[in-house]
Amino acid sequence: MTATFREPVRRRLSRPAAALAATLALALALTGCGGGTDAAAPPAKPAARPAADRVEPLPGPAPGTELPATVRSADGHDVTVRKADRIVPLTGSLSEIVFTLGLGGRVVARDITATFEQAAKLPVVTRAHDVSAESVLSLKPDVVLADTTTGPAEAIGQIRDAGVPVVTFRPATRLADVGTRIDAVAATLGVRTAGDALKARTGQRIKAVEKDIPHGGTEPHGGTEAADRPRVAFLYLRGSASVYLIGGAGSGAASLIEAAGGIDAGKESGLTKDFTPITSEALAKAAPDVILVMTKGLESVGGIDGMVKIPGVAQTPAGMDRRVAAVDDGVLLNYGPRTDAVLRSLVQQIHAKGK
């Protein structure tokens, strides 16, 4: 759940982004594969996916800010934001909300996960996934927005010690968090009216998608209806680093899968961790009908042809039928203004028949 305006602070034990980053870092260390770009053959084409290269700001002129505003940061600080002419969001999901609120013209930097077109020319202030305090401070920001998973902590502390207001938010991990996160960012930047409009627009679009979801979408599943729901396993793949993980209950994908009328196969099979290294046994127990991946992850293993060579994948119903749902890395788990497009794409892909 995201940090909200004046919300009491509590730390979540399950933080998918942090867990994934930690697991990935460990895997990289064990395999001896550091940075670098995933190079692989183009993937076989799965079903259509949402265009994730642009965000859609609210119509009309950029909203005026009503500042100062004092908000409770998720790390326990009461932060007063007096100006928001120079904004630095340190995650792609936060950047997406700021731009969609109509404040993109005030954003002066981005991190590497802000992949949409409007942010492409902004300077990057992260090295790999680590924030560079020096780079951030050199841009003289009025306010910095971060998640509780943004780090290293020393860099965030250095920015705050320099007198820059830093507001942190808890990562969104489910559909119910979308509106709360929009509210929190809008309150921080003094644009509550724009936040209300964006929250309403986003909610309406998600509801419009939900009307056409097979098997009742987020309604509880059971009996014969459960048998009709595709079992979907979320796999995190980075072929160049030999990192192959299956998502469990805390991966962040469960809410989307269930809302799309599916069953999270990893969660249902008893995987309680956020992410677990893929094994033939784990895949056999999950028995997915469909495999959900990020597009770059699929590319990194050589597309569907390469993915079915991962031990255990070819023996699953999904592997045998080559049923794969792919969604862009920069939007899949953002739980923000483009989640309706993600949900629509996921519905189309997981209910399509294998080829």
Side-chain angles (χ1 to χ4, degrees), residues 287-352:
D289 301 306
V290 184
I291 290 173
L292 171 63
V293 292
M294 295 180 179
T295 53
K296 288 183 181 178
L298 186 60
E299 292 168 4
S300 78
V301 296
I304 296 175
D305 289 339
M307 190 190 70
V308 296
K309 295 177 182 177
I310 297 171
V313 171
Q315 287 70 48
T316 65
M320 289 185 281
D321 293 338
R322 298 172 65 86
R323 291 183 65 184
V324 177
V327 179
D328 289 288
D329 302 48
V331 70
L332 175 59
L333 298 180
N334 276 4
Y335 288 105
R338 291 185 290 175
T339 293
D340 65 295
V342 174
L343 186 58
R344 182 179 295 105
S345 175
L346 197 54
V347 170
Q348 293 170 351
Q349 294 188 72
I350 71 173
H351 296 287

Side-chain angles (χ1 to χ4, degrees), residues 48 66 165 213 249:
E66 297 181 5
I213 294 175

Side-chain angles (χ1 to χ4, degrees), residues 8 54 56 60 67 100-101 138 161 164 215 228 248 261 311 354:
R54 290 188 63 81
E56 182 188 348
L67 297 172
T100 311
L101 285 168
S138 71
D161 289 344
V164 178
H215 315 309
D228 295 330

Side-chain angles (χ1 to χ4, degrees), residues 77-337:
H77 295 268
D78 286 323
V79 181
T80 298
V81 179
R82 303 187 184 280
K83 290 179 60 182
D85 295 331
R86 299 180 64 80
I87 305 169
V88 175
L90 291 177
T91 74
S93 60
L94 291 171
S95 293
E96 179 179 328
I97 294 174
V98 175
F99 271 81
T100 311
L101 285 168
L103 298 176
R106 301 185 182 201
V107 178
V108 296
R110 68 179 178 94
D111 84 314
I112 61 170
T113 63
T115 57
F116 53 90
E117 184 177 319
Q118 293 100 318
K121 294 183 180 180
L122 291 170
V124 177
V125 291
T126 50
R127 301 187 183 100
H129 288 279
D130 288 341
V131 175
S132 167
E134 294 79 6
S135 297
V136 172
L137 293 173
S138 71
L139 295 166
K140 303 185 184 305
D142 296 320
V143 59
V144 170
L145 310 179
D147 276 349
T148 53
T149 55
T150 304
E154 293 79 8
I156 300 301
Q158 186 177 344
I159 295 168
R160 181 173 279 132
D161 289 344
V164 178
V166 177
V167 181
T168 63
F169 306 84
R170 295 188 185 92
T173 60
R174 54 192 181 132
L175 280 178
D177 295 338
V178 173
T180 304
R181 192 165 170 86
I182 291 171
D183 279 343
V185 175
T188 297
L189 300 177
V191 290
R192 291 176 177 274
T193 300
D196 291 341
L198 180 56
K199 179 180 176 180
R201 187 184 81 175
T202 304
Q204 289 167 0
R205 290 180 175 183
I206 291 174
K207 286 181 180 179
V209 177
E210 289 176 334
K211 290 179 181 178
D212 298 323
I213 294 175
H215 315 309
T218 55
E219 293 180 7
H221 56 78
T224 57
E225 183 183 331
D228 295 330
R229 292 174 177 260
R231 294 175 63 86
V232 183
F234 174 40
L235 304 188
Y236 181 84
L237 310 174
R238 282 298 180 262
S240 63
S242 298
V243 175
Y244 310 112
L245 308 174
I246 181 171
S251 73
S255 181
L256 281 171
I257 292 169
E258 292 166 1
I263 296 171
D264 187 316
K267 173 183 173 182
E268 192 81 359
S269 69
L271 295 178
T272 57
K273 294 181 179 179
D274 298 341
F275 291 91
T276 301
I278 291 174
T279 63
S280 297
E281 293 76 14
L283 285 171
K285 189 173 182 180
D289 301 306
V290 184
I291 290 173
L292 171 63
V293 292
M294 295 180 179
T295 53
K296 288 183 181 178
L298 186 60
E299 292 168 4
S300 78
V301 296
I304 296 175
D305 289 339
M307 190 190 70
V308 296
K309 295 177 182 177
I310 297 171
V313 171
Q315 287 70 48
T316 65
M320 289 185 281
D321 293 338
R322 298 172 65 86
R323 291 183 65 184
V324 177
V327 179
D328 289 288
D329 302 48
V331 70
L332 175 59
L333 298 180
N334 276 4
Y335 288 105

